[in-house]
Amino acid sequence: PLLPDSLRAMAGLPDSRRRERVAAHNFHRLLAGAEQAVLCYQTGVDRSGLLDEKKIRSRFVEELLWREERARGGLLSPGQPPLHAAACTVRPFRSAPRPIERTTAINDALERLLDAPVSPSTLDAWLTCPVRFFHERLAGLAPPDEVNEGDDPIAVGDLLHKVLLDFHLPHKGREVRRDELSAEHLTRLFLQRLGASGLSAQLPPDALLMLEVAGPERLGRYLSRQPERFTVLELEEPVEATIDVPGSAGRRIRRLHGRVDRVDLRDFEDGQGAVILDYKTGKVEWKPSAWSDDALWERIEVWTPDRDPDLLADVAGALHGVQLPAYVHMYGQHSGRDVHDAAWVILRDAGQELPLFGDGTDDETRDAAITTRIPALLSFLLRHMAEAPLLLPRDGKHCDWCSCTKLCKIRA
């Protein structure tokens, strides 16, 4: 009621105590006039709605139980007459993966996509989940438009890419020592870019404050992880390459295109070599031991559309992504340089580099990966996109932020 009891009395309106007496009178009259009465209530349920209070027994039910217990001289337990318990067993629906059969329309759409230059991010999306690829990239299902109540990882990643481009561009083409790099200058560039980015109007205040504090701190750690001496060869460099792809109708030459964040020339024990760097603000999982999994690479080399339907999922589980290996192949072919290694730069943490090969990979394994296994991987993915008879969903952590996850399963 809008009016408190004191004002209701002055206005001649019934107060809460009178309403309770009327409710008690009606309740007990109904019980007295019934041949049999069954009272039902919920227990063990906290809330059934956002504004609901915790479920408790009515005071009228408590009064009836108290009278019964006083007459018996003991407490009643659930399941002991007249206090019966009605239990309901709820089982979830069993579901099964929902594959998508390749139709003429799907085949035509994929062929149009493959006729144009294909980016490493496109290959990565297919490797992650072909069904998600279908829904988002072929069917054009956009994610729901929601209010941003947290971080914006894509916008923050774009901001850091621009800051690092501004910072390294004056040093491009000449050897740089780590002690020449100024953390104060990098911080100024970050704050300038942040102010001009519009993120202050997009991010919640707490997320913006965290970015203003953590951004310069993590970029400072990034500088401390730079090599003692290095030469920046390329920044945001567009690269193109071709790949020979076998197929049921004959071999095809497919085109690849992309943009490399940064390429360094660094010193190694056996001389100088190019190192490709890919800035990452998210989490990266990688183990260089994947290059030594001979059984997996043999399956990749002999794959055909009518065999080994689980290979794509096994490749995704072993490699966790194909973008950086693709950049190694593309930059090497595009520039003619020998690529010694590549690495993800983990900006979300301390700016450390996670190498694609690393010191633990011997020269023979690295050379085989660059010259044979990475081209075989790219060829397999392009052929899988062109000829796989079924688009199979793949479960994983990526399902947590997929807007199409409910479309991947059917009730069994």
Side-chain angles (χ1 to χ4, degrees):
L2 298 178
L3 296 178
D5 283 348
S6 57
L7 293 181
R8 294 179 68 85
M10 296 174 61
L13 298 173
D15 57 14
S16 59
R17 296 184 64 183
R18 181 178 176 183
R19 292 197 303 274
E20 290 177 1
R21 290 196 297 269
V22 172
H25 170 79
N26 293 335
F27 176 78
H28 289 290
R29 284 293 301 270
L30 288 172
L31 286 182
E35 296 182 359
Q36 182 180 7
V38 178
L39 306 179
C40 300
Y41 59 87
Q42 285 183 319
T43 183
V45 179
D46 289 340
R47 289 173 174 83
S48 60
L50 180 63
L51 302 178
D52 288 349
E53 297 180 352
K54 185 177 180 179
K55 300 297 182 181
I56 59 175
R57 288 191 295 222
S58 161
R59 61 184 180 278
F60 302 138
V61 174
E62 291 286 3
E63 179 183 353
L64 294 175
L65 290 175
W66 176 77
R67 290 180 179 177
E68 183 67 24
E69 290 171 343
R70 187 177 63 174
R72 295 186 178 208
L75 298 177
L76 291 172
S77 300
Q80 179 182 358
L83 185 58
H84 300 281
C88 179
T89 302
V90 179
R91 294 184 177 88
F93 292 116
R94 297 180 61 185
S95 60
R98 182 183 185 182
I100 298 176
E101 293 187 11
R102 181 184 291 266
T103 63
T104 302
I106 293 176
N107 191 70
D108 292 344
L110 285 170
E111 194 59 38
R112 286 194 298 270
L113 186 149
L114 292 171
D115 282 342
V118 179
S119 67
S121 62
T122 298
L123 295 177
D124 221 24
W126 182 268
L127 179 64
T128 300
C129 180
V131 171
R132 179 179 179 180
F133 185 98
F134 166 80
H135 288 136
E136 294 183 352
R137 303 206 177 203
L138 298 184
L141 296 182
D145 190 11
E146 298 177 341
V147 176
N148 180 29
E149 298 181 354
D151 297 333
D152 190 341
I154 296 178
V156 172
D158 182 62
L159 168 68
L160 293 177
H161 276 71
K162 292 178 179 177
V163 169
L164 293 175
L165 174 63
D166 294 343
F167 180 76
H168 286 294
L169 191 58
H171 307 294
K172 181 181 177 181
R174 69 178 184 87
E175 187 177 75
V176 179
R177 298 193 311 272
R178 183 172 56 209
D179 55 14
E180 295 181 45
L181 303 176
S182 169
E184 291 77 11
H185 178 54
L186 183 56
T187 297
R188 287 196 299 271
L189 288 175
F190 173 78
L191 295 177
Q192 289 171 5
R193 277 287 187 179
L194 178 60
S197 66
L199 282 174
S200 58
Q202 300 175 27
L203 296 178
D206 56 338
L208 179 63
L209 178 61
M210 182 65 70
L211 180 60
E212 292 173 341
V213 174
E217 171 66 23
R218 292 180 179 177
L219 288 173
R221 295 179 186 177
Y222 158 82
L223 284 187
S224 69
R225 297 296 187 102
Q226 296 301 288
E228 189 173 341
R229 292 176 179 272
F230 64 98
T231 300
V232 176
L233 296 176
E234 308 291 352
L235 290 169
E236 298 294 332
E237 176 71 6
V239 292
E240 295 182 353
T242 59
I243 192 79
D244 186 17
V245 182
S248 302
R251 309 189 75 86
R252 295 283 301 273
I253 300 297
R254 300 291 189 184
R255 294 173 295 161
L256 303 172
H257 80 104
R259 187 177 296 274
V260 178
D261 290 340
R262 175 177 146 196
V263 182
D264 283 359
L265 183 65
R266 299 183 180 180
D267 294 326
F268 298 94
E269 292 182 357
D270 55 350
Q272 290 186 321
V275 177
I276 298 172
L277 301 176
D278 189 21
Y279 300 133
K280 287 296 181 185
T281 54
K283 186 177 180 180
V284 177
E285 297 180 4
W286 170 249
K287 294 181 180 179
S289 58
W291 299 119
S292 302
D293 188 350
D294 294 336
L296 178 67
W297 294 103
E298 289 176 5
R299 292 169 61 193
I300 290 174
E301 291 176 2
V302 302
W303 182 85
T304 56
D306 58 348
R307 61 185 296 179
D308 206 352
D310 298 327
L311 179 56
L312 187 76
D314 292 343
V315 170
L319 300 183
H320 302 286
V322 73
Q323 289 195 53
L324 195 55
Y327 289 141
V328 169
H329 171 77
M330 294 166 64
Y331 180 76
Q333 188 182 111
H334 178 84
S335 67
R337 291 181 179 273
D338 292 332
V339 179
H340 186 276
D341 207 343
W344 295 274
V345 181
I346 313 301
L347 297 175
R348 64 174 286 173
D349 193 4
Q352 71 273 22
E353 295 179 3
L354 180 62
L356 189 64
F357 303 113
D359 296 335
T361 304
D362 59 74
D363 292 343
E364 182 179 356
T365 301
R366 183 177 63 248
D367 292 343
I370 294 175
T371 60
T372 304
R373 292 189 165 175
I374 290 178
L377 169 65
L378 301 177
S379 177
F380 159 69
L381 290 174
L382 290 166
R383 186 178 183 186
H384 196 280
M385 292 178 67
E387 298 187 12
L390 287 177
L391 279 60
L392 299 174
R394 187 177 76 87
D395 289 331
K397 295 180 181 178
H398 55 274
C399 296
D400 294 340
W401 55 84
C402 175
S403 60
C404 305
T405 184
K406 294 182 179 179
L407 304 176
C408 293
K409 296 190 181 295
I410 56 176
R411 187 179 301 177

Short mmCIF file of all heavy atoms in Angstrom, two decimals, residues 343-398:
data_model
loop_
_atom_site.label_atom_id
_atom_site.label_comp_id
_atom_site.label_asym_id
_atom_site.label_seq_id
_atom_site.Cartn_x
_atom_site.Cartn_y
_atom_site.Cartn_z
N ALA A 343 56.76 -14.89 -33.02
CA ALA A 343 56.35 -14.92 -31.62
C ALA A 343 55.10 -14.08 -31.42
O ALA A 343 54.88 -13.08 -32.11
CB ALA A 343 57.46 -14.41 -30.71
N TRP A 344 54.28 -14.52 -30.49
CA TRP A 344 53.19 -13.70 -29.99
C TRP A 344 53.74 -12.81 -28.87
O TRP A 344 54.46 -13.29 -27.99
CB TRP A 344 52.07 -14.57 -29.43
CG TRP A 344 51.38 -15.42 -30.43
CD1 TRP A 344 50.32 -15.07 -31.23
CD2 TRP A 344 51.66 -16.80 -30.73
NE1 TRP A 344 49.94 -16.13 -32.01
CE2 TRP A 344 50.74 -17.21 -31.73
CE3 TRP A 344 52.60 -17.72 -30.26
CZ2 TRP A 344 50.74 -18.49 -32.25
CZ3 TRP A 344 52.60 -19.00 -30.79
CH2 TRP A 344 51.69 -19.38 -31.76
N VAL A 345 53.39 -11.54 -28.89
CA VAL A 345 53.77 -10.62 -27.82
C VAL A 345 52.56 -10.47 -26.90
O VAL A 345 51.53 -9.92 -27.30
CB VAL A 345 54.19 -9.25 -28.38
CG1 VAL A 345 54.62 -8.32 -27.24
CG2 VAL A 345 55.33 -9.42 -29.37
N ILE A 346 52.68 -10.98 -25.67
CA ILE A 346 51.53 -11.06 -24.76
C ILE A 346 51.39 -9.73 -24.01
O ILE A 346 51.95 -9.52 -22.93
CB ILE A 346 51.70 -12.24 -23.79
CG1 ILE A 346 52.12 -13.50 -24.53
CG2 ILE A 346 50.39 -12.48 -23.04
CD1 ILE A 346 51.16 -13.95 -25.62
N LEU A 347 50.64 -8.80 -24.58
CA LEU A 347 50.50 -7.47 -23.99
C LEU A 347 49.60 -7.47 -22.76
O LEU A 347 49.67 -6.55 -21.95
CB LEU A 347 49.93 -6.50 -25.04
CG LEU A 347 50.83 -6.26 -26.26
CD1 LEU A 347 50.10 -5.38 -27.27
CD2 LEU A 347 52.14 -5.64 -25.86
N ARG A 348 48.76 -8.46 -22.61
CA ARG A 348 47.87 -8.51 -21.44
C ARG A 348 48.64 -8.81 -20.17
O ARG A 348 48.12 -8.61 -19.06
CB ARG A 348 46.79 -9.57 -21.64
CG ARG A 348 47.31 -10.98 -21.73
CD ARG A 348 46.19 -12.01 -21.78
NE ARG A 348 45.54 -12.18 -20.49
CZ ARG A 348 44.46 -12.91 -20.29
NH1 ARG A 348 43.89 -13.52 -21.30
NH2 ARG A 348 43.94 -13.03 -19.09
N ASP A 349 49.85 -9.28 -20.30
CA ASP A 349 50.64 -9.69 -19.14
C ASP A 349 51.85 -8.76 -19.01
O ASP A 349 51.69 -7.57 -18.75
CB ASP A 349 51.07 -11.15 -19.30
CG ASP A 349 51.61 -11.76 -18.02
OD1 ASP A 349 51.59 -11.05 -17.00
OD2 ASP A 349 52.06 -12.91 -18.04
N ALA A 350 53.04 -9.27 -19.23
CA ALA A 350 54.26 -8.48 -19.04
C ALA A 350 54.94 -8.18 -20.37
O ALA A 350 56.10 -7.79 -20.39
CB ALA A 350 55.23 -9.21 -18.11
N GLY A 351 54.24 -8.36 -21.50
CA GLY A 351 54.85 -8.09 -22.78
C GLY A 351 55.87 -9.11 -23.21
O GLY A 351 56.67 -8.85 -24.11
N GLN A 352 55.85 -10.28 -22.60
CA GLN A 352 56.81 -11.32 -22.97
C GLN A 352 56.45 -11.92 -24.32
O GLN A 352 55.31 -11.84 -24.77
CB GLN A 352 56.86 -12.42 -21.90
CG GLN A 352 55.64 -13.31 -21.83
CD GLN A 352 54.53 -12.77 -20.95
OE1 GLN A 352 54.46 -11.57 -20.70
NE2 GLN A 352 53.67 -13.65 -20.47
N GLU A 353 57.44 -12.51 -24.95
CA GLU A 353 57.25 -13.14 -26.26
C GLU A 353 57.10 -14.64 -26.09
O GLU A 353 57.89 -15.28 -25.41
CB GLU A 353 58.43 -12.83 -27.18
CG GLU A 353 58.54 -11.35 -27.52
CD GLU A 353 59.73 -11.05 -28.42
OE1 GLU A 353 60.42 -12.02 -28.83
OE2 GLU A 353 59.98 -9.87 -28.72
N LEU A 354 56.08 -15.19 -26.72
CA LEU A 354 55.85 -16.63 -26.75
C LEU A 354 56.22 -17.11 -28.15
O LEU A 354 55.50 -16.86 -29.11
CB LEU A 354 54.38 -16.94 -26.45
CG LEU A 354 53.98 -18.42 -26.44
CD1 LEU A 354 54.73 -19.18 -25.37
CD2 LEU A 354 52.47 -18.56 -26.23
N PRO A 355 57.38 -17.77 -28.30
CA PRO A 355 57.89 -18.07 -29.64
C PRO A 355 57.15 -19.21 -30.31
O PRO A 355 56.66 -20.14 -29.65
CB PRO A 355 59.35 -18.44 -29.39
CG PRO A 355 59.37 -18.95 -27.98
CD PRO A 355 58.32 -18.17 -27.24
N LEU A 356 57.08 -19.14 -31.62
CA LEU A 356 56.48 -20.21 -32.41
C LEU A 356 57.38 -21.44 -32.41
O LEU A 356 56.90 -22.57 -32.41
CB LEU A 356 56.25 -19.72 -33.84
CG LEU A 356 55.45 -20.63 -34.77
CD1 LEU A 356 54.01 -20.79 -34.27
CD2 LEU A 356 55.45 -20.07 -36.19
N PHE A 357 58.69 -21.23 -32.40
CA PHE A 357 59.66 -22.33 -32.36
C PHE A 357 60.48 -22.29 -31.08
O PHE A 357 60.42 -23.19 -30.27
CB PHE A 357 60.58 -22.28 -33.58
CG PHE A 357 59.84 -22.33 -34.89
CD1 PHE A 357 59.82 -21.24 -35.75
CD2 PHE A 357 59.14 -23.46 -35.26
CE1 PHE A 357 59.14 -21.28 -36.94
CE2 PHE A 357 58.45 -23.52 -36.46
CZ PHE A 357 58.45 -22.42 -37.30
N GLY A 358 61.23 -21.22 -30.86
CA GLY A 358 61.99 -21.08 -29.62
C GLY A 358 63.30 -21.84 -29.66
O GLY A 358 63.60 -22.61 -30.59
N ASP A 359 64.09 -21.64 -28.61
CA ASP A 359 65.42 -22.27 -28.52
C ASP A 359 65.33 -23.78 -28.39
O ASP A 359 66.29 -24.49 -28.72
CB ASP A 359 66.19 -21.69 -27.33
CG ASP A 359 66.48 -20.20 -27.51
OD1 ASP A 359 66.52 -19.74 -28.67
OD2 ASP A 359 66.64 -19.50 -26.49
N GLY A 360 64.20 -24.29 -27.92
CA GLY A 360 64.08 -25.74 -27.74
C GLY A 360 63.81 -26.50 -29.02
O GLY A 360 63.80 -27.73 -29.01
N THR A 361 63.56 -25.80 -30.12
CA THR A 361 63.30 -26.45 -31.40
C THR A 361 64.60 -26.48 -32.22
O THR A 361 65.20 -25.43 -32.47
CB THR A 361 62.22 -25.70 -32.18
OG1 THR A 361 61.03 -25.61 -31.39
CG2 THR A 361 61.89 -26.41 -33.48
N ASP A 362 65.02 -27.65 -32.63
CA ASP A 362 66.28 -27.75 -33.39
C ASP A 362 66.09 -27.22 -34.81
O ASP A 362 64.96 -27.06 -35.29
CB ASP A 362 66.78 -29.20 -33.41
CG ASP A 362 65.77 -30.15 -34.03
OD1 ASP A 362 65.61 -30.13 -35.27
OD2 ASP A 362 65.12 -30.91 -33.27
N ASP A 363 67.21 -26.96 -35.47
CA ASP A 363 67.17 -26.35 -36.81
C ASP A 363 66.43 -27.22 -37.81
O ASP A 363 65.68 -26.71 -38.67
CB ASP A 363 68.60 -26.09 -37.30
CG ASP A 363 69.29 -25.01 -36.49
OD1 ASP A 363 68.59 -24.26 -35.80
OD2 ASP A 363 70.55 -24.93 -36.55
N GLU A 364 66.61 -28.53 -37.73
CA GLU A 364 65.96 -29.42 -38.69
C GLU A 364 64.44 -29.37 -38.55
O GLU A 364 63.72 -29.30 -39.55
CB GLU A 364 66.45 -30.85 -38.48
CG GLU A 364 65.87 -31.85 -39.47
CD GLU A 364 66.39 -33.26 -39.26
OE1 GLU A 364 67.27 -33.45 -38.40
OE2 GLU A 364 65.90 -34.18 -39.94
N THR A 365 63.95 -29.38 -37.30
CA THR A 365 62.50 -29.31 -37.07
C THR A 365 61.94 -27.97 -37.52
O THR A 365 60.87 -27.90 -38.15
CB THR A 365 62.18 -29.55 -35.59
OG1 THR A 365 62.67 -30.83 -35.19
CG2 THR A 365 60.69 -29.49 -35.34
N ARG A 366 62.67 -26.87 -37.23
CA ARG A 366 62.21 -25.54 -37.64
C ARG A 366 62.18 -25.42 -39.15
O ARG A 366 61.20 -24.91 -39.73
CB ARG A 366 63.10 -24.46 -37.03
CG ARG A 366 62.63 -23.05 -37.38
CD ARG A 366 63.45 -21.95 -36.73
NE ARG A 366 64.82 -21.98 -37.21
CZ ARG A 366 65.88 -22.31 -36.47
NH1 ARG A 366 65.70 -22.65 -35.20
NH2 ARG A 366 67.10 -22.30 -36.97
N ASP A 367 63.23 -25.87 -39.82
CA ASP A 367 63.26 -25.77 -41.28
C ASP A 367 62.15 -26.60 -41.91
O ASP A 367 61.52 -26.18 -42.89
CB ASP A 367 64.62 -26.23 -41.79
CG ASP A 367 65.75 -25.28 -41.40
OD1 ASP A 367 65.43 -24.13 -41.03
OD2 ASP A 367 66.92 -25.68 -41.45
N ALA A 368 61.89 -27.81 -41.36
CA ALA A 368 60.82 -28.65 -41.89
C ALA A 368 59.46 -27.99 -41.69
O ALA A 368 58.58 -28.07 -42.57
CB ALA A 368 60.86 -30.02 -41.22
N ALA A 369 59.28 -27.33 -40.54
CA ALA A 369 58.01 -26.65 -40.29
C ALA A 369 57.79 -25.51 -41.26
O ALA A 369 56.69 -25.34 -41.82
CB ALA A 369 57.98 -26.13 -38.85
N ILE A 370 58.83 -24.70 -41.51
CA ILE A 370 58.68 -23.53 -42.37
C ILE A 370 58.51 -23.92 -43.83
O ILE A 370 57.68 -23.36 -44.55
CB ILE A 370 59.89 -22.59 -42.19
CG1 ILE A 370 59.89 -22.00 -40.77
CG2 ILE A 370 59.86 -21.46 -43.21
CD1 ILE A 370 61.10 -21.15 -40.46
N THR A 371 59.28 -24.90 -44.29
CA THR A 371 59.29 -25.23 -45.71
C THR A 371 58.23 -26.24 -46.11
O THR A 371 57.78 -26.25 -47.26
CB THR A 371 60.67 -25.77 -46.13
OG1 THR A 371 60.98 -26.95 -45.36
CG2 THR A 371 61.75 -24.72 -45.88
N THR A 372 57.82 -27.11 -45.16
CA THR A 372 56.92 -28.21 -45.52
C THR A 372 55.63 -28.22 -44.73
O THR A 372 54.53 -28.27 -45.31
CB THR A 372 57.65 -29.56 -45.32
OG1 THR A 372 58.86 -29.57 -46.08
CG2 THR A 372 56.76 -30.72 -45.76
N ARG A 373 55.74 -28.17 -43.41
CA ARG A 373 54.56 -28.41 -42.59
C ARG A 373 53.59 -27.23 -42.55
O ARG A 373 52.37 -27.43 -42.57
CB ARG A 373 54.99 -28.84 -41.18
CG ARG A 373 55.66 -30.20 -41.21
CD ARG A 373 55.94 -30.80 -39.88
NE ARG A 373 56.23 -32.24 -40.05
CZ ARG A 373 56.61 -33.06 -39.08
NH1 ARG A 373 56.75 -32.60 -37.84
NH2 ARG A 373 56.82 -34.34 -39.35
N ILE A 374 54.08 -26.02 -42.50
CA ILE A 374 53.17 -24.87 -42.53
C ILE A 374 52.45 -24.78 -43.88
O ILE A 374 51.21 -24.60 -43.91
CB ILE A 374 53.91 -23.57 -42.19
CG1 ILE A 374 54.32 -23.57 -40.71
CG2 ILE A 374 53.05 -22.35 -42.50
CD1 ILE A 374 55.11 -22.36 -40.28
N PRO A 375 53.14 -24.92 -45.03
CA PRO A 375 52.38 -24.95 -46.30
C PRO A 375 51.37 -26.09 -46.36
O PRO A 375 50.27 -25.91 -46.89
CB PRO A 375 53.49 -25.13 -47.35
CG PRO A 375 54.72 -24.54 -46.72
CD PRO A 375 54.60 -24.86 -45.26
N ALA A 376 51.72 -27.26 -45.80
CA ALA A 376 50.76 -28.37 -45.79
C ALA A 376 49.56 -28.04 -44.93
O ALA A 376 48.41 -28.39 -45.26
CB ALA A 376 51.45 -29.64 -45.28
N LEU A 377 49.78 -27.36 -43.81
CA LEU A 377 48.67 -26.95 -42.93
C LEU A 377 47.73 -25.99 -43.65
O LEU A 377 46.50 -26.16 -43.61
CB LEU A 377 49.25 -26.31 -41.67
CG LEU A 377 48.26 -25.60 -40.75
CD1 LEU A 377 47.28 -26.59 -40.14
CD2 LEU A 377 49.00 -24.84 -39.64
N LEU A 378 48.30 -24.97 -44.30
CA LEU A 378 47.46 -23.99 -45.01
C LEU A 378 46.71 -24.65 -46.16
O LEU A 378 45.52 -24.36 -46.39
CB LEU A 378 48.34 -22.85 -45.52
CG LEU A 378 49.12 -22.07 -44.46
CD1 LEU A 378 50.01 -21.02 -45.12
CD2 LEU A 378 48.19 -21.43 -43.45
N SER A 379 47.38 -25.54 -46.87
CA SER A 379 46.73 -26.26 -47.97
C SER A 379 45.58 -27.12 -47.47
O SER A 379 44.50 -27.17 -48.07
CB SER A 379 47.78 -27.11 -48.70
OG SER A 379 47.18 -27.86 -49.73
N PHE A 380 45.80 -27.79 -46.34
CA PHE A 380 44.73 -28.62 -45.75
C PHE A 380 43.52 -27.78 -45.39
O PHE A 380 42.37 -28.15 -45.69
CB PHE A 380 45.28 -29.34 -44.52
CG PHE A 380 44.22 -29.80 -43.56
CD1 PHE A 380 43.35 -30.83 -43.90
CD2 PHE A 380 44.07 -29.18 -42.33
CE1 PHE A 380 42.36 -31.24 -43.02
CE2 PHE A 380 43.08 -29.58 -41.45
CZ PHE A 380 42.22 -30.61 -41.79
N LEU A 381 43.74 -26.64 -44.74
CA LEU A 381 42.60 -25.80 -44.32
C LEU A 381 41.83 -25.28 -45.53
O LEU A 381 40.59 -25.26 -45.52
CB LEU A 381 43.11 -24.64 -43.46
CG LEU A 381 43.62 -25.01 -42.07
CD1 LEU A 381 44.23 -23.80 -41.39
CD2 LEU A 381 42.50 -25.59 -41.21
N LEU A 382 42.54 -24.84 -46.55
CA LEU A 382 41.86 -24.33 -47.74
C LEU A 382 41.08 -25.43 -48.45
O LEU A 382 39.97 -25.20 -48.95
CB LEU A 382 42.89 -23.70 -48.68
CG LEU A 382 43.51 -22.39 -48.17
CD1 LEU A 382 44.74 -22.03 -48.98
CD2 LEU A 382 42.48 -21.26 -48.21
N ARG A 383 41.65 -26.63 -48.51
CA ARG A 383 40.92 -27.73 -49.14
C ARG A 383 39.73 -28.16 -48.27
O ARG A 383 38.67 -28.51 -48.80
CB ARG A 383 41.85 -28.92 -49.37
CG ARG A 383 41.16 -30.03 -50.17
CD ARG A 383 42.05 -31.20 -50.47
NE ARG A 383 41.33 -32.18 -51.30
CZ ARG A 383 41.80 -33.37 -51.63
NH1 ARG A 383 43.02 -33.76 -51.22
NH2 ARG A 383 41.08 -34.19 -52.36
N HIS A 384 39.91 -28.14 -46.96
CA HIS A 384 38.80 -28.50 -46.06
C HIS A 384 37.64 -27.53 -46.25
O HIS A 384 36.47 -27.94 -46.29
CB HIS A 384 39.29 -28.49 -44.62
CG HIS A 384 38.38 -29.19 -43.66
ND1 HIS A 384 37.25 -28.61 -43.16
CD2 HIS A 384 38.44 -30.44 -43.11
CE1 HIS A 384 36.64 -29.45 -42.33
NE2 HIS A 384 37.33 -30.56 -42.29
N MET A 385 37.94 -26.24 -46.38
CA MET A 385 36.89 -25.26 -46.63
C MET A 385 36.19 -25.52 -47.95
O MET A 385 34.97 -25.36 -48.07
CB MET A 385 37.48 -23.85 -46.62
CG MET A 385 37.98 -23.38 -45.28
SD MET A 385 38.72 -21.72 -45.35
CE MET A 385 37.28 -20.74 -45.73
N ALA A 386 36.94 -25.97 -48.95
CA ALA A 386 36.37 -26.14 -50.28
C ALA A 386 35.60 -27.44 -50.45
O ALA A 386 34.66 -27.50 -51.24
CB ALA A 386 37.49 -26.06 -51.32
N GLU A 387 35.97 -28.50 -49.68
CA GLU A 387 35.44 -29.82 -50.02
C GLU A 387 34.86 -30.62 -48.86
O GLU A 387 34.27 -31.67 -49.11
CB GLU A 387 36.55 -30.65 -50.69
CG GLU A 387 37.06 -30.07 -51.99
CD GLU A 387 38.03 -31.00 -52.69
OE1 GLU A 387 38.14 -32.18 -52.29
OE2 GLU A 387 38.69 -30.55 -53.65
N ALA A 388 35.02 -30.21 -47.62
CA ALA A 388 34.50 -31.01 -46.51
C ALA A 388 33.00 -31.21 -46.66
O ALA A 388 32.26 -30.23 -46.80
CB ALA A 388 34.82 -30.34 -45.18
N PRO A 389 32.50 -32.45 -46.64
CA PRO A 389 31.06 -32.68 -46.87
C PRO A 389 30.18 -32.20 -45.72
O PRO A 389 29.01 -31.90 -45.93
CB PRO A 389 30.98 -34.20 -47.04
CG PRO A 389 32.17 -34.74 -46.33
CD PRO A 389 33.25 -33.71 -46.49
N LEU A 390 30.72 -32.15 -44.52
CA LEU A 390 29.96 -31.73 -43.35
C LEU A 390 30.71 -30.61 -42.62
O LEU A 390 31.93 -30.65 -42.50
CB LEU A 390 29.74 -32.89 -42.38
CG LEU A 390 28.74 -33.98 -42.77
CD1 LEU A 390 28.73 -35.07 -41.71
CD2 LEU A 390 27.34 -33.40 -42.94
N LEU A 391 29.95 -29.65 -42.13
CA LEU A 391 30.50 -28.62 -41.26
C LEU A 391 30.17 -29.05 -39.84
O LEU A 391 29.01 -29.02 -39.42
CB LEU A 391 29.89 -27.26 -41.56
CG LEU A 391 30.48 -26.47 -42.75
CD1 LEU A 391 30.34 -27.25 -44.05
CD2 LEU A 391 29.80 -25.12 -42.87
N LEU A 392 31.20 -29.46 -39.10
CA LEU A 392 30.99 -30.01 -37.76
C LEU A 392 31.28 -28.96 -36.69
O LEU A 392 32.30 -28.25 -36.76
CB LEU A 392 31.91 -31.22 -37.54
CG LEU A 392 31.70 -32.41 -38.48
CD1 LEU A 392 32.78 -33.46 -38.25
CD2 LEU A 392 30.32 -33.01 -38.27
N PRO A 393 30.40 -28.83 -35.69
CA PRO A 393 30.69 -27.90 -34.59
C PRO A 393 31.80 -28.46 -33.71
O PRO A 393 31.99 -29.67 -33.60
CB PRO A 393 29.37 -27.83 -33.83
CG PRO A 393 28.69 -29.14 -34.13
CD PRO A 393 29.11 -29.51 -35.52
N ARG A 394 32.55 -27.56 -33.08
CA ARG A 394 33.63 -27.97 -32.19
C ARG A 394 33.46 -27.29 -30.85
O ARG A 394 33.40 -26.06 -30.77
CB ARG A 394 35.00 -27.62 -32.79
CG ARG A 394 36.18 -28.18 -31.99
CD ARG A 394 37.50 -27.87 -32.67
NE ARG A 394 37.89 -26.51 -32.50
CZ ARG A 394 38.59 -26.04 -31.46
NH1 ARG A 394 38.96 -26.88 -30.49
NH2 ARG A 394 38.93 -24.78 -31.38
N ASP A 395 33.36 -28.09 -29.79
CA ASP A 395 33.24 -27.54 -28.45
C ASP A 395 34.59 -27.01 -27.97
O ASP A 395 35.64 -27.54 -28.34
CB ASP A 395 32.75 -28.62 -27.48
CG ASP A 395 31.29 -28.97 -27.71
OD1 ASP A 395 30.54 -28.09 -28.17
OD2 ASP A 395 30.89 -30.12 -27.43
N GLY A 396 34.54 -26.00 -27.11
CA GLY A 396 35.76 -25.44 -26.56
C GLY A 396 35.48 -24.17 -25.80
O GLY A 396 34.32 -23.75 -25.65
N LYS A 397 36.53 -23.51 -25.33
CA LYS A 397 36.37 -22.27 -24.59
C LYS A 397 35.75 -21.18 -25.45
O LYS A 397 35.13 -20.25 -24.93
CB LYS A 397 37.72 -21.81 -24.05
CG LYS A 397 38.33 -22.76 -23.02
CD LYS A 397 39.67 -22.25 -22.53
CE LYS A 397 40.28 -23.22 -21.51
NZ LYS A 397 41.62 -22.77 -21.04
N HIS A 398 35.95 -21.28 -26.76
CA HIS A 398 35.40 -20.27 -27.66
C HIS A 398 33.87 -20.24 -27.60
O HIS A 398 33.26 -19.22 -27.95
CB HIS A 398 35.87 -20.52 -29.10
CG HIS A 398 35.56 -21.90 -29.59
ND1 HIS A 398 36.39 -22.97 -29.37
CD2 HIS A 398 34.50 -22.40 -30.29
CE1 HIS A 398 35.88 -24.05 -29.92
NE2 HIS A 398 34.73 -23.74 -30.47
#
